[in-house]
Amino acid sequence: MKEISTKYGNFIPQHTDNELRRKEILPITYHASGAVKSLPLEKQALVTTPVGDIPAELITFHSNGGINRIFPLNGKLSGYWSQDDEAALAEPVTIETPIGSITARIISLSFYENEALRSVTLWPGDTVSVSTPVGFLEVRIGISFTPDGKVSSVEPAKPAHVETPAGVITAFDPDAVGVNGDENSLVFDKNGEVTRVTTTLTRLKAIHPDGAVSVFTPATRESLCSEAEEEIVPMTVFINGPEVAIRTKANQPPTRVPREKHVFFTEPYLPQLANSLEMMRCSV
């Protein structure tokens, strides 16, 4: 099989399959310019990247030849090969990030066209402690960075109290899905200010100029555990320059409240305490 040449070396593309993990031979794809876009490898190979040497079974590239994403494993999940089977093959790797070294099992790494690290996606169940604009946090699923190396977003692994222009909000999204680490529920701007945060544990109040008070709390939905049970729907708060926007339901637009002449404050929202400290969640 002819090797494929890239700026990171020559690699043998996948040309055989496996009845359990790799049930089909994935094709090499190309950009319109003719540059390689997606390269599945025959065997896991060590690739020297800007953040360290990373094992890879699949590499995707930007049109300029730089790595877009690198996947240490690329097995196909099925009734015969589960996520747990694939995860058992994952080995911890150490990468050099803008906020220091991280050692964890990695689903993928993403890079900008200038080769700066864009995001880290962790295997389900894995967490790392990282420095963020709101202090050290235990993070799951993913971490993303700006092109100049600042933390852009993280997915808190457990409830964390964070300061925002709308008050202290307990950040945690129990519904977070780890497709990739590019976008996460706790988001920062270039100055490190919180611009988006998701919570099930905080109530937000806005006092209007006329003295009226608007109260925003996470909604509820029928639990997947039982029709007789309800579970909390995460509420998302957006701080967009001159306004605060609050979305209490995913299928509804947020309510927008100007920051000017309004006073915001927060308080704990703990309806779970009425049901043995925590309502059942079968969705996670």
Side-chain angles (χ1 to χ4, degrees):
M1 172 58 65
K2 181 180 178 181
E3 292 185 337
I4 299 296
S5 178
T6 76
K7 67 184 293 184
Y8 303 93
N10 298 331
F11 300 98
I12 299 175
Q14 183 188 1
H15 58 275
T16 62
D17 57 13
N18 177 291
E19 63 180 14
L20 285 179
R21 282 195 70 235
R22 309 178 84 178
K23 294 187 175 184
E24 57 184 316
I25 300 174
L26 298 176
I28 304 169
T29 63
Y30 297 85
H31 290 281
S33 64
V36 175
K37 182 177 182 180
S38 176
L39 178 59
L41 305 184
E42 174 68 6
K43 294 182 179 179
Q44 190 181 72
L46 204 61
V47 181
T48 298
T49 77
V51 300
D53 292 341
I54 307 299
E57 288 188 348
L58 173 65
I59 313 170
T60 67
F61 299 88
H62 294 289
S63 58
N64 68 359
I67 290 177
N68 180 9
R69 291 188 191 275
I70 185 167
F71 299 82
L73 298 174
N74 190 38
K76 183 177 181 180
L77 304 186
S78 68
Y80 302 98
W81 190 259
S82 69
Q83 177 176 289
D84 289 341
D85 293 323
E86 188 77 351
L89 299 178
E91 296 288 342
V93 298
T94 298
I95 59 174
E96 299 300 326
T97 79
I99 53 176
S101 296
I102 291 176
T103 300
R105 296 186 305 166
I106 304 297
I107 289 181
S108 70
L109 300 175
S110 174
F111 297 86
Y112 291 101
E113 290 191 1
N114 67 355
E115 295 193 323
L117 182 64
R118 179 184 180 188
S119 70
V120 179
T121 304
L122 306 173
W123 271 94
D126 283 23
T127 64
V128 292
S129 181
V130 298
S131 176
T132 77
V134 293
F136 276 90
L137 295 179
E138 194 74 16
V139 170
R140 63 186 177 126
I141 297 177
I143 312 159
S144 68
F145 302 91
T146 63
D148 60 353
K150 296 178 180 178
V151 176
S152 175
S153 70
V154 298
E155 196 61 57
K158 55 187 178 182
H161 305 305
V162 299
E163 291 276 358
T164 80
V168 177
I169 295 177
T170 303
F172 185 67
D173 183 1
D175 286 353
V177 178
V179 176
N180 61 56
D182 293 359
E183 296 185 10
N184 303 286
S185 68
L186 179 55
V187 182
F188 309 96
D189 65 14
K190 63 181 180 180
N191 298 317
E193 295 289 334
V194 174
T195 61
R196 188 176 78 215
V197 58
T198 298
T199 182
T200 58
L201 297 166
T202 299
R203 184 201 325 266
L204 173 65
K205 294 183 178 181
I207 303 177
H208 301 272
D210 63 1
V213 179
S214 294
V215 181
F216 303 92
T217 60
T220 60
R221 65 188 171 204
E222 184 179 288
S223 173
L224 297 177
C225 302
S226 167
E227 293 182 358
E229 299 287 344
E230 286 192 333
E231 61 186 20
I232 305 298
V233 177
M235 179 176 75
T236 302
V237 179
F238 306 83
I239 295 96
N240 300 317
E243 68 178 16
V244 174
I246 308 98
R247 186 174 63 204
T248 57
K249 292 185 178 180
N251 59 351
Q252 293 182 356
T255 300
R256 303 179 185 278
V257 182
R259 291 172 65 180
E260 185 178 6
K261 298 182 180 179
H262 286 76
V263 177
F264 298 90
F265 64 94
T266 58
E267 59 189 20
Y269 178 65
L270 301 171
Q272 298 93 330
L273 293 176
N275 187 17
S276 300
L277 298 181
E278 186 172 358
M279 302 179 80
M280 292 189 296
R281 300 192 64 87
C282 293
S283 56
V284 293

